Amino acid sequence: MENFRQESDLLGILNVPLDAYYGVQTQRAINNFKISGQLLSSYHEFIKGLAFVKKAAAKTNYELGLLDQDLYLKIAETCDELIGGLFHTEFPVDMIQGGAGTSINMNANEVIANRVLEKLGKNKGDYEFCSPNDHINLSQSTNDAYPTAIKMGLLQMNETLVEKLKKIVEAFRAKGVEFQDVIKMGRTQLQDAVPMTMGQEFEAFAATLEEDISKLNNNANLFVEVNMGATAIGTGINAPVGYATLCAKNLAEITGYPVVSAPDLVEATPDTGSYVIYSSAMKRLALKLSKICNDLRLLSSGPRAGLSEINLPPMQPGSSIMPGKVNPVIPEVVNQVCFKVIGNDLTVTFAAEAGQLQLNVMEPVLSHAIMENIHFLCNALDTLREKCVVGITANKEVCLNMVKHSIGIVTALNPYIGYKQSTQIAKEALETGKSVYNLVLEKMLLSQERLDEILDPKNMLRPHNK
């Protein structure tokens, strides 16, 4: 047992690795929750969120006379180390766990306490000098520290997601400019509609994704309202007078986010509404992103027997049996990420609904679902941009040829020969194989000069007068 130390808690004595900064309650969580295989140590923003909360709590306790200066400074210094990325491997608990997040809160308390003990020249586990519960968790409970840390983590993660989203918007917009002179057929219900430019199509991709930047940011802004000082259920038991407001102020100064104390801490403690609305914004983004990937796969279908209007960068051989086949693997993988995001949103919905009375104990799976979604979306956005969008090329001749032979251009004749005659022209063109152009001339419905003017694809791209 030379490589272990013994620590005790309510349930008795347990062996903890000698060099571990975490303690007995973290070890119990390691033993109990072998669920997802995704550990807290993989979510660095969450660990930073925990460190932000513990530093703000320590500062507040010091200012209210509950912590001496030396201990406060060492706690703050240790929190800064965590914020800077140190000791993140000391957070080995599974993201999905029972106990409403107590294991994660205690993991942070134990790591910080044992690092402070090290700074004091004491042995790990000598909690009489710095206790995970009495000092690091002072004036807190899991029920206020844990959700606040989640929110601080999500605020950081949202910034990263938004930056990734901005980059892919720029990439689609650049393609919109590149393809601004490529004439093609627009389609509705997979049928020929009216002409457009490929530039308009790609600009629409940019515009629809750009809308979600403000949606994500606006919904993430709900995370700045926290329940620190609520302790167990929102009554403020075990927290001194003024703690909630002062702790929120300190947290705002430490993080740079406009953190405020919730106006009703009893309401705020079980409330998960901010997670639900943020998750819904990610689902909206996923739906749009998946639709775009569907379009890219359709537009690149072929190369001989499909639309073949665009070429996606070839990334890998597409078949173990069909020589020469190259599949749209990047849009395909992004589609699958989007399905995962949509499924996780349902998990968030169920977890939020499962709150009972003064607490929602399902926040571990809820927070994991949201953080996993952000992680997946960030990677998917980068992958789609770098390995697909920037390398897309247009088959201009294919697109133009489809326009010239499309029945859909008859729509442009409606204002000049009427809907009924336009319908007859379209029907006859389909039945005989003749072009719309030739049929209009044969029936002497318009002069050739006027017809050329009307059916010039460039004249069908925008509103105009008769």
Short mmCIF file of all heavy atoms in Angstrom, two decimals, residues 195 409-417 437 440 445-461 464-466:
data_model
loop_
_atom_site.label_atom_id
_atom_site.label_comp_id
_atom_site.label_asym_id
_atom_site.label_seq_id
_atom_site.Cartn_x
_atom_site.Cartn_y
_atom_site.Cartn_z
N PRO A 195 -34.17 30.22 -62.72
CA PRO A 195 -32.72 30.41 -62.65
C PRO A 195 -32.27 31.26 -61.47
O PRO A 195 -33.03 32.08 -60.95
CB PRO A 195 -32.38 31.08 -63.99
CG PRO A 195 -33.52 30.76 -64.88
CD PRO A 195 -34.72 30.72 -64.00
N ILE A 409 -37.78 27.67 -67.09
CA ILE A 409 -37.65 29.06 -67.52
C ILE A 409 -38.95 29.61 -68.08
O ILE A 409 -39.09 30.82 -68.26
CB ILE A 409 -36.50 29.24 -68.56
CG1 ILE A 409 -36.80 28.43 -69.83
CG2 ILE A 409 -35.17 28.86 -67.95
CD1 ILE A 409 -35.80 28.71 -70.95
N VAL A 410 -39.91 28.73 -68.32
CA VAL A 410 -41.21 29.21 -68.80
C VAL A 410 -41.87 30.12 -67.77
O VAL A 410 -42.73 30.94 -68.10
CB VAL A 410 -42.12 28.02 -69.16
CG1 VAL A 410 -42.66 27.35 -67.91
CG2 VAL A 410 -43.27 28.45 -70.07
N THR A 411 -41.51 29.95 -66.49
CA THR A 411 -42.06 30.82 -65.44
C THR A 411 -41.84 32.29 -65.75
O THR A 411 -42.68 33.14 -65.45
CB THR A 411 -41.42 30.47 -64.08
OG1 THR A 411 -41.64 29.09 -63.80
CG2 THR A 411 -42.00 31.31 -62.95
N ALA A 412 -40.70 32.58 -66.37
CA ALA A 412 -40.39 33.98 -66.70
C ALA A 412 -41.34 34.56 -67.74
O ALA A 412 -41.43 35.78 -67.90
CB ALA A 412 -38.95 34.07 -67.20
N LEU A 413 -42.07 33.69 -68.46
CA LEU A 413 -42.98 34.16 -69.51
C LEU A 413 -44.36 34.51 -68.97
O LEU A 413 -45.17 35.13 -69.68
CB LEU A 413 -43.12 33.09 -70.60
CG LEU A 413 -41.82 32.70 -71.33
CD1 LEU A 413 -42.09 31.60 -72.32
CD2 LEU A 413 -41.20 33.91 -72.02
N ASN A 414 -44.68 34.11 -67.74
CA ASN A 414 -46.00 34.37 -67.17
C ASN A 414 -46.47 35.81 -67.33
O ASN A 414 -47.60 36.06 -67.75
CB ASN A 414 -46.03 33.98 -65.69
CG ASN A 414 -46.21 32.50 -65.48
OD1 ASN A 414 -46.48 31.75 -66.41
ND2 ASN A 414 -46.05 32.06 -64.24
N PRO A 415 -45.64 36.79 -67.00
CA PRO A 415 -46.11 38.18 -67.09
C PRO A 415 -46.36 38.64 -68.52
O PRO A 415 -47.01 39.67 -68.72
CB PRO A 415 -44.96 38.99 -66.45
CG PRO A 415 -44.18 38.01 -65.64
CD PRO A 415 -44.29 36.73 -66.39
N TYR A 416 -45.86 37.90 -69.51
CA TYR A 416 -45.93 38.36 -70.90
C TYR A 416 -46.95 37.60 -71.74
O TYR A 416 -47.60 38.19 -72.62
CB TYR A 416 -44.53 38.24 -71.54
CG TYR A 416 -43.48 38.93 -70.74
CD1 TYR A 416 -42.66 38.22 -69.84
CD2 TYR A 416 -43.29 40.32 -70.82
CE1 TYR A 416 -41.71 38.86 -69.07
CE2 TYR A 416 -42.33 40.97 -70.05
CZ TYR A 416 -41.55 40.22 -69.18
OH TYR A 416 -40.61 40.87 -68.41
N ILE A 417 -47.13 36.30 -71.49
CA ILE A 417 -48.09 35.53 -72.30
C ILE A 417 -49.18 34.91 -71.45
O ILE A 417 -50.08 34.26 -71.99
CB ILE A 417 -47.36 34.44 -73.13
CG1 ILE A 417 -46.72 33.39 -72.20
CG2 ILE A 417 -46.32 35.04 -74.05
CD1 ILE A 417 -46.11 32.22 -72.95
N TYR A 437 -38.09 27.85 -75.81
CA TYR A 437 -37.71 28.94 -76.72
C TYR A 437 -38.33 28.73 -78.10
O TYR A 437 -39.00 29.62 -78.65
CB TYR A 437 -36.19 28.99 -76.79
CG TYR A 437 -35.62 30.13 -77.61
CD1 TYR A 437 -35.30 31.32 -77.02
CD2 TYR A 437 -35.39 29.98 -78.98
CE1 TYR A 437 -34.75 32.37 -77.76
CE2 TYR A 437 -34.85 31.00 -79.73
CZ TYR A 437 -34.53 32.20 -79.12
OH TYR A 437 -34.01 33.23 -79.85
N VAL A 440 -42.30 28.96 -78.29
CA VAL A 440 -42.83 30.33 -78.23
C VAL A 440 -42.71 31.00 -79.59
O VAL A 440 -43.63 31.70 -80.04
CB VAL A 440 -42.09 31.14 -77.14
CG1 VAL A 440 -42.47 32.62 -77.20
CG2 VAL A 440 -42.41 30.58 -75.76
N LEU A 445 -45.85 33.89 -80.23
CA LEU A 445 -46.35 34.55 -79.02
C LEU A 445 -45.52 35.78 -78.67
O LEU A 445 -46.03 36.72 -78.04
CB LEU A 445 -46.34 33.57 -77.85
CG LEU A 445 -47.27 32.36 -78.00
CD1 LEU A 445 -47.09 31.38 -76.85
CD2 LEU A 445 -48.73 32.81 -78.09
N LEU A 446 -44.24 35.76 -79.04
CA LEU A 446 -43.34 36.88 -78.81
C LEU A 446 -42.34 36.95 -79.95
O LEU A 446 -42.05 35.94 -80.59
CB LEU A 446 -42.58 36.70 -77.48
CG LEU A 446 -43.38 36.80 -76.16
CD1 LEU A 446 -42.54 36.29 -75.01
CD2 LEU A 446 -43.85 38.22 -75.89
N SER A 447 -41.80 38.14 -80.16
CA SER A 447 -40.76 38.26 -81.16
C SER A 447 -39.48 37.64 -80.63
O SER A 447 -39.29 37.52 -79.40
CB SER A 447 -40.51 39.73 -81.50
OG SER A 447 -39.93 40.40 -80.38
N GLN A 448 -38.59 37.27 -81.51
CA GLN A 448 -37.34 36.66 -81.08
C GLN A 448 -36.52 37.63 -80.24
O GLN A 448 -35.91 37.24 -79.25
CB GLN A 448 -36.52 36.19 -82.29
CG GLN A 448 -35.25 35.46 -81.89
CD GLN A 448 -34.54 34.84 -83.07
OE1 GLN A 448 -35.02 34.89 -84.21
NE2 GLN A 448 -33.39 34.26 -82.83
N GLU A 449 -36.53 38.88 -80.63
CA GLU A 449 -35.76 39.89 -79.89
C GLU A 449 -36.27 40.03 -78.47
O GLU A 449 -35.50 40.06 -77.50
CB GLU A 449 -35.84 41.23 -80.61
CG GLU A 449 -35.03 42.32 -79.92
CD GLU A 449 -35.14 43.66 -80.63
OE1 GLU A 449 -35.96 43.78 -81.55
OE2 GLU A 449 -34.39 44.57 -80.26
N ARG A 450 -37.63 40.08 -78.36
CA ARG A 450 -38.21 40.23 -77.02
C ARG A 450 -37.99 38.96 -76.21
O ARG A 450 -37.70 39.01 -75.01
CB ARG A 450 -39.71 40.52 -77.16
CG ARG A 450 -40.42 40.78 -75.82
CD ARG A 450 -39.87 42.00 -75.13
NE ARG A 450 -40.64 42.36 -73.95
CZ ARG A 450 -40.12 42.80 -72.82
NH1 ARG A 450 -38.79 42.92 -72.70
NH2 ARG A 450 -40.89 43.14 -71.81
N LEU A 451 -38.14 37.80 -76.84
CA LEU A 451 -37.95 36.52 -76.15
C LEU A 451 -36.52 36.38 -75.64
O LEU A 451 -36.29 35.94 -74.51
CB LEU A 451 -38.28 35.37 -77.09
CG LEU A 451 -38.24 33.96 -76.48
CD1 LEU A 451 -39.20 33.83 -75.31
CD2 LEU A 451 -38.55 32.91 -77.56
N ASP A 452 -35.56 36.79 -76.47
CA ASP A 452 -34.16 36.72 -76.05
C ASP A 452 -33.92 37.58 -74.82
O ASP A 452 -33.18 37.20 -73.90
CB ASP A 452 -33.24 37.17 -77.19
CG ASP A 452 -33.13 36.14 -78.28
OD1 ASP A 452 -33.46 34.96 -78.02
OD2 ASP A 452 -32.72 36.49 -79.41
N GLU A 453 -34.56 38.73 -74.81
CA GLU A 453 -34.39 39.65 -73.69
C GLU A 453 -34.98 39.05 -72.40
O GLU A 453 -34.36 39.08 -71.34
CB GLU A 453 -35.05 40.98 -74.00
CG GLU A 453 -34.89 42.01 -72.88
CD GLU A 453 -35.61 43.30 -73.19
OE1 GLU A 453 -36.21 43.42 -74.28
OE2 GLU A 453 -35.59 44.20 -72.34
N ILE A 454 -36.20 38.49 -72.54
CA ILE A 454 -36.89 37.94 -71.36
C ILE A 454 -36.16 36.72 -70.81
O ILE A 454 -36.01 36.57 -69.59
CB ILE A 454 -38.34 37.56 -71.72
CG1 ILE A 454 -39.14 38.81 -72.09
CG2 ILE A 454 -39.01 36.83 -70.55
CD1 ILE A 454 -40.49 38.49 -72.70
N LEU A 455 -35.71 35.84 -71.71
CA LEU A 455 -35.11 34.58 -71.28
C LEU A 455 -33.60 34.63 -71.07
O LEU A 455 -32.98 33.61 -70.81
CB LEU A 455 -35.45 33.47 -72.28
CG LEU A 455 -36.94 33.10 -72.39
CD1 LEU A 455 -37.14 31.94 -73.33
CD2 LEU A 455 -37.52 32.79 -71.02
N ASP A 456 -33.05 35.81 -71.16
CA ASP A 456 -31.64 35.95 -70.78
C ASP A 456 -31.55 35.61 -69.29
O ASP A 456 -32.19 36.27 -68.46
CB ASP A 456 -31.16 37.38 -71.02
CG ASP A 456 -29.68 37.56 -70.71
OD1 ASP A 456 -29.14 36.75 -69.93
OD2 ASP A 456 -29.08 38.51 -71.24
N PRO A 457 -30.81 34.55 -68.94
CA PRO A 457 -30.76 34.14 -67.53
C PRO A 457 -30.46 35.27 -66.57
O PRO A 457 -31.01 35.31 -65.47
CB PRO A 457 -29.65 33.08 -67.53
CG PRO A 457 -29.66 32.52 -68.91
CD PRO A 457 -30.01 33.67 -69.80
N LYS A 458 -29.63 36.20 -66.98
CA LYS A 458 -29.26 37.30 -66.09
C LYS A 458 -30.45 38.20 -65.77
O LYS A 458 -30.49 38.85 -64.73
CB LYS A 458 -28.12 38.10 -66.69
CG LYS A 458 -26.81 37.34 -66.76
CD LYS A 458 -25.69 38.19 -67.31
CE LYS A 458 -24.39 37.39 -67.38
NZ LYS A 458 -23.28 38.19 -67.95
N ASN A 459 -31.44 38.22 -66.67
CA ASN A 459 -32.63 39.04 -66.44
C ASN A 459 -33.64 38.34 -65.54
O ASN A 459 -34.65 38.93 -65.17
CB ASN A 459 -33.30 39.41 -67.77
CG ASN A 459 -32.47 40.40 -68.57
OD1 ASN A 459 -31.67 41.15 -68.00
ND2 ASN A 459 -32.64 40.40 -69.88
N MET A 460 -33.39 37.09 -65.24
CA MET A 460 -34.32 36.33 -64.40
C MET A 460 -33.82 36.18 -62.96
O MET A 460 -34.37 35.41 -62.18
CB MET A 460 -34.55 34.94 -65.01
CG MET A 460 -35.34 34.98 -66.31
SD MET A 460 -35.78 33.33 -66.89
CE MET A 460 -34.25 32.84 -67.67
N LEU A 461 -32.79 36.91 -62.62
CA LEU A 461 -32.18 36.76 -61.29
C LEU A 461 -32.68 37.77 -60.29
O LEU A 461 -32.33 37.69 -59.12
CB LEU A 461 -30.66 36.88 -61.41
CG LEU A 461 -29.98 35.87 -62.33
CD1 LEU A 461 -28.49 36.13 -62.39
CD2 LEU A 461 -30.26 34.44 -61.87
N HIS A 464 -38.00 42.82 -61.84
CA HIS A 464 -37.90 43.82 -62.91
C HIS A 464 -39.29 44.17 -63.39
O HIS A 464 -40.27 43.44 -63.16
CB HIS A 464 -37.02 43.32 -64.06
CG HIS A 464 -37.54 42.08 -64.71
ND1 HIS A 464 -38.49 42.07 -65.70
CD2 HIS A 464 -37.23 40.76 -64.48
CE1 HIS A 464 -38.76 40.82 -66.08
NE2 HIS A 464 -38.01 40.01 -65.34
N ASN A 465 -39.41 45.28 -64.11
CA ASN A 465 -40.69 45.72 -64.68
C ASN A 465 -40.93 45.05 -66.02
O ASN A 465 -40.00 44.64 -66.71
CB ASN A 465 -40.71 47.23 -64.85
CG ASN A 465 -40.59 47.96 -63.52
OD1 ASN A 465 -41.20 47.55 -62.54
ND2 ASN A 465 -39.80 49.02 -63.49
N LYS A 466 -42.19 44.94 -66.42
CA LYS A 466 -42.54 44.36 -67.72
C LYS A 466 -42.06 45.25 -68.85
O LYS A 466 -41.95 46.44 -68.71
CB LYS A 466 -44.06 44.19 -67.82
CG LYS A 466 -44.62 43.10 -66.91
CD LYS A 466 -46.11 42.98 -67.01
CE LYS A 466 -46.54 42.52 -68.41
NZ LYS A 466 -48.00 42.25 -68.46
#
